[in-house]
Amino acid sequence: MEITNPLEELSADELLAMVDRDRLPRHIAVIMDGNGRWAKERKFPRIRGHRAGIKAVRGCITTCRELGVPYLTLYAFSMENWKRPEREIKGLMKLLKEYLIGEREEMLEKGIRLRAIGRLDYLPEDVRAVLDETRDATAKGTEMTLTLALSYGGRAEIVDAVKSLRVGNLEDIGEEDISEHMYAPDHPDPDLLVRTSGEMRISNFLLWEIAYAEIYVTNVYWPDFDAKHVYAAIVDYQRRERRFGGVTPAVGARG
Ligand code: FPP
């Protein structure tokens, strides 16, 4: 679907000057879509699209960290992605492992704390081990929390949360009980959800947590998503009036 985002006509510098640093989203969540189409347009194998996607991952993390966005969550592999051809899954797992090993030093240097959400026990053992090592090594990072959604499904997360509830009486269950049993209960809910490649879908991402998130969709394929698009999404977000179901902007609303 073709989306019109007039802000994307502006340059990165112009957009950066428009970002209000006092009202940044606390948590940005991103559905990184379009690696396959990016590769297809260039007659490359799909895995080359994913490799190019890693470059965009690095850029997005750097931009958010430099701005001072404290939480960034990236949808790197969904439960549904297990249905892809084995070759592609293997390629993605290899890239993920390389990424986790290759970026560890930089994450430590830049104070990035890595977390992961999803049914992580479905991941191959070697990937899981590297993930655990990087998570442990970066656990004390204070600049930004980077969360990778891996083997993640929003419905699965809700099912897992409900299963882990320890309540005697179903009548006693409240929203906060479910929230407390999600994969990352200590993270704030996303304020801004970004999706690339022009698709107007949520694709089973953070279903519970995005209840009040503002949504920004851009036409660019994920490998082409750069600092300019991050700024455009934030400026667009800051122009919206968030009422959280009320009639006037909520007190302390962040945009
Ligand atoms: C969607 O593109 C993207 C994915 C399924 C995975 C995203 C993975 C990366 C960006 C690389 C690995 C990430 C990390 C953090 C190491 P698609 O294949 O669905 O594209 P298409 O819809 O055009 O086919």
Side-chain angles (χ1 to χ4, degrees):
M1 186 170 166
E2 204 53 25
I3 315 283
T4 319
N5 285 323
L7 285 171
E8 293 184 10
E9 307 286 320
L10 301 175
S11 70
D13 285 346
E14 285 168 321
L15 287 163
L16 179 57
M18 290 161 75
V19 170
D20 177 351
R21 294 182 184 243
D22 294 328
R23 289 190 311 124
L24 289 172
R26 257 211 309 165
H27 184 172
I28 301 180
V30 188
I31 302 175
M32 310 182 287
D33 193 17
N35 293 350
R37 277 162 285 169
W38 182 93
K40 193 172 175 196
E41 274 186 2
R42 289 160 179 79
K43 300 195 167 42
F44 292 159
R46 290 178 61 82
I47 200 67
R48 249 183 100 171
H50 296 312
R51 199 171 275 286
I54 290 201
K55 215 170 140 217
V57 164
R58 278 198 205 100
C60 182
I61 295 168
T62 302
T63 305
C64 289
R65 185 183 52 74
E66 286 177 354
L67 279 174
V69 173
Y71 290 86
L72 175 68
T73 298
L74 303 176
Y75 204 3
F77 195 88
S78 70
M79 285 291 288
E80 290 71 29
N81 287 156
W82 290 117
K83 291 186 233 151
R84 293 199 175 193
E86 200 186 326
R87 212 175 115 105
E88 185 171 345
I89 295 177
K90 276 201 172 144
L92 273 166
M93 291 299 142
K94 186 165 170 262
L95 283 181
L96 177 61
K97 199 172 152 185
E98 278 172 20
Y99 173 82
L100 291 167
I101 296 172
E103 300 296 303
R104 196 178 291 157
E105 275 312 305
E106 172 130 7
M107 285 185 197
L108 278 170
E109 211 175 283
K110 300 280 163 46
I112 295 174
R113 173 174 72 142
L114 180 81
R115 310 273 319 257
I117 53 172
R119 289 195 174 157
L120 305 178
D121 49 329
Y122 287 28
L123 295 171
E125 225 168 275
D126 56 333
V127 176
R128 182 67 205 266
V130 167
L131 177 64
D132 287 344
E133 280 162 26
T134 307
R135 269 198 308 194
D136 292 348
T138 62
K140 293 203 167 73
T142 54
E143 290 305 299
M144 182 170 87
T145 298
L146 165 67
T147 304
L148 298 182
L150 294 167
S151 186
Y152 177 87
R155 288 184 172 181
E157 181 178 24
I158 295 170
V159 169
D160 291 348
V162 171
K163 280 184 179 162
S164 65
L165 286 177
R166 296 274 175 268
V167 284
N169 188 348
L170 288 181
E171 289 301 316
D172 294 337
I173 299 176
E175 287 184 14
E176 59 292 350
D177 297 305
I178 309 268
S179 293
E180 278 166 18
H181 287 81
M182 301 308 272
Y183 295 142
D186 52 325
H187 297 183
D189 285 344
D191 301 298
L192 173 60
L193 173 70
V194 175
R195 179 164 190 148
T196 58
S197 91
E199 306 290 353
M200 302 290 268
R201 279 194 293 277
I202 300 299
S203 299
N204 203 14
F205 190 40
L206 302 176
L207 295 181
W208 182 267
E209 298 88 338
I210 59 162
Y212 290 102
E214 298 294 330
I215 302 179
Y216 182 86
V217 178
T218 173
N219 292 318
V220 296
Y221 294 145
W222 176 251
D224 294 326
F225 186 87
D226 62 19
K228 175 176 125 160
H229 304 101
V230 176
Y231 302 148
I234 293 177
V235 171
D236 193 275
Y237 159 85
Q238 291 181 334
R239 289 181 170 180
R240 304 198 197 166
E241 187 181 279
R242 303 184 78 198
R243 292 192 300 275
F244 298 92
V247 285
T248 47
V251 179
R254 311 177 71 86

